[in-house]
C-alpha cells in the first residue's frame, strides 16, 4: 500500500509528496511501522526545511511531552497511565478514550489597541516610563472593551506594566500586575501552557526581590514541573529554572549543589563545554562550596570557570579579573585550611603517641605506631 500526500504552495505548480509504506499481511489490515513513520518524517523535514535529522534525536525524544503535544494537535484523548515506550506496542486500543474535534474560531480584534500596545513596547525600550504606562493602560482598556477581561492581549498588557513598574522599583505594584497576568493566562490558555511557565518564573523573581523566598521557590518548583511535562527533561529553559532554584537555596548548600550539577549537565549537553552559561554555573558552584568551607572544590570549580572565560574574553576584561581574584582568595584559604588540618592531625598523633608510651602492657607498639603514622598521612 502506498499513501501519497500532496501539498500545493500558493499558485505555484510545484508540489511536495511524502510516501508512507504500510506493511501488508494477508488476512490482516495494513500496519504502519515505527521505522516507516520515522522515514516519512525525515523526508518531510528534509523537503520542507532542508535539514537532516539524525537517528539519535528520535531515540532521545521526550516521550510523554511528545505524546501530549500530539494529543493536543489532533484532539486525541488517551488513558492516563504509565506507558512502556521500550516495547514495540506501548499503546492498546483500549487506551484511546475519545477523539475531540478541534474547532477554529475568529475573535474580534482592535487595530487601535494593537497600535497602542506596540507603542508601549517601543516607549519601554526607549526608557520613556510615563508615555509607556499611558499607552499600555489605554491599550488594556480598549482590549477589555472589545474582547472582555479574559484574553491574551490583556494579560500581555498586565505583564508589560509589571515589567515597567519593576524598572521603576515599585515591586509591590509590579507583583500585583504580574499576578493578574498570571491569573488571566491560566484561565485562557490552561494550566500547562508555555506562557504560564514564564509567568511562574517572573512571579518567583518578584517574590524573591521582595524577600518572600518561600513563595518564590514554590513558583520555580511549579515552573520546573511544568517545563518537564511540556518540553521534556533536556531543555535550556529547564537548566535556567534549576539554576535559579539553586541560587535561592544558598541556605541549603547540599540541595543547591544538586540543582547546580543538574543545570551544568544540561548546559554541557545542549550548549557545549565552553559556553558562558557553563562558566557561570562553575563560578556559582565555587561560591557554594566556599560557603561550606570546602575550598578545595571551590578552587577547582573557579579554575574551570576562569578557563572558559579566557576562551571568550581578553585578559583585561572585568570578568577575567574578577574570576582571577576569586581564584586567588580560594587558593589562599585552601592552603590555610590544609595547614590547619595538618597541625591538628599532628597534635592528635602526638597525643596518641604519648598515650601509647604510657601503656607498658601493649605488646606490639611499633606496629601500632606505623599504622597510626600511615593513617595520619
Amino acid at each position: 500500500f502506498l499513501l501519497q500526500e500532496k501539498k500545493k504552495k500558493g499558485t505555484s505548480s510545484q508540489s511536495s509528496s511524502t510516501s508512507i509504506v504500510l506493511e501488508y499481511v494477508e488476512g490482516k489490515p495494513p500496519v504502519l511501522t515505527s521505522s516507516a513513520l520515522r522515514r516519512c518524517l525525515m523526508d518531510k523535514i528534509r523537503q520542507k526545511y532542508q535539514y537532516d535529522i539524525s537517528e539519535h534525536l528520535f531515540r532521545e525524544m521526550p516521550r510523554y511531552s511528545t505524546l501530549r503535544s500530539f494529543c493536543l494537535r489532533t484532539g486525541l484523548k488517551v488513558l492516563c497511565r504509565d506507558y512502556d515506550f521500550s516495547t514495540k506496542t506501548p499503546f492498546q486500543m483500549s487506551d484511546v478514550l475519545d477523539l475531540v474535534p478541534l474547532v477554529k474560531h475568529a475573535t474580534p480584534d482592535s487595530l487601535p489597541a494593537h497600535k497602542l500596545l506596540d507603542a508601549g513596547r517601543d516607549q519601554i525600550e526607549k526608557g520613556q516610563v510615563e508615555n509607556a504606562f499611558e499607552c499600555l493602560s489605554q491599550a488594556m482598556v480598549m482590549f477589555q472593551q472589545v474582547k472582555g477581561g479574559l484574553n491574551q492581549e490583556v494579560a500581555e498588557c498586565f505583564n508589560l506594566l509589571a515589567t515597567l513598574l519593576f524598572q521603576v522599583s515599585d515591586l509591590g505594584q509590579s507583583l500585583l500586575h504580574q499576578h493578574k497576568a498570571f491569573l488571566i493566562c491560566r484561565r485562557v490558555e490552561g494550566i500547562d501552557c508555555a506562557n504560564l511557565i514564564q509567568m511562574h518564573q517572573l512571579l518567583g523573581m518578584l517574590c524573591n526581590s521582595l524577600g518572600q523566598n518561600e513563595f518564590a521557590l514554590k513558583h520555580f518548583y511549579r515552573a520546573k514541573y511544568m517545563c518537564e511535562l511540556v518540553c521534556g527533561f533536556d531543555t535550556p529553559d529547564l537548566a535556567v529554572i534549576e539554576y535559579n532554584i539553586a541560587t535561592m537555596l544558598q541556605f541549603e548548600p547540599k540541595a543547591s549543589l544538586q540543582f547546580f550539577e543538574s543545570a551544568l549537565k544540561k548546559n554541557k549537553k545542549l550548549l557545549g563545554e565552553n559556553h558562558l552559561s557553563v562558566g557561570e554555573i562553575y563560578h556559582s558552584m565555587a561560591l557554594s562550596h566556599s560557603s561550606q568551607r570546602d575550598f578545595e572544590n571551590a578552587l577547582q570549580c573557579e579554575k574551570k570557570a576562569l578557563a572558559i572565560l579566557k576562551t571568550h574574553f581578553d585578559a583585561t576584561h572585568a570578568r577575567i579579573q574578577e574570576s582571577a581574584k576569586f581564584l586567588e582568595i580560594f587558593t589562599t584559604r585552601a592552603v590555610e585550611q590544609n595547614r590547619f588540618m595538618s597541625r591538628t592531625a599532628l597534635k592528635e598523633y602526638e597525643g596518641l603517641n604519648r598515650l601509647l608510651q604510657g601503656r607498658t602492657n601493649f605488646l606490639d607498639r611499633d606496629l601500632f605506631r606505623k599504622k597510626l603514622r600511615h593513617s595520619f598521612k
Side-chain angles (χ1 to χ4, degrees), residues 299-331:
L299 180 60
Q300 298 300 323
C301 290
E302 193 62 37
K303 283 182 179 179
K304 295 178 181 179
L306 182 59
I308 293 174
L309 289 175
K310 286 181 178 179
T311 61
H312 294 275
F313 304 109
D314 296 330
T316 58
H317 197 272
R319 296 184 65 176
I320 297 286
Q321 296 177 357
E322 182 184 8
S323 180
K325 290 180 181 178
F326 275 108
L327 187 64
E328 184 180 356
I329 293 172
F330 293 150
T331 303

Side-chain angles (χ1 to χ4, degrees), residues 126-187:
K126 294 177 182 178
Q128 302 292 331
V129 177
E130 295 181 358
N131 295 335
F133 190 87
E134 184 178 356
C135 291
L136 292 174
S137 300
Q138 293 179 4
M140 183 174 60
V141 172
M142 295 182 69
F143 279 126
Q144 288 175 341
Q145 292 176 351
V146 175
K147 295 186 174 184
L150 297 177
N151 59 79
Q152 291 181 344
E153 285 77 9
V154 174
E156 180 67 19
C157 290
F158 275 120
N159 189 19
L160 291 173
L161 286 172
T163 304
L164 189 65
L165 291 168
F166 180 79
Q167 292 179 358
V168 297
S169 301
D170 192 352
L171 299 181
Q173 288 296 319
S174 178
L175 179 62
L176 179 61
H177 282 73
Q178 191 64 54
H179 188 67
K180 290 180 180 179
F182 167 78
L183 293 176
I184 294 173
C185 184
R186 187 173 63 178
R187 287 289 301 274

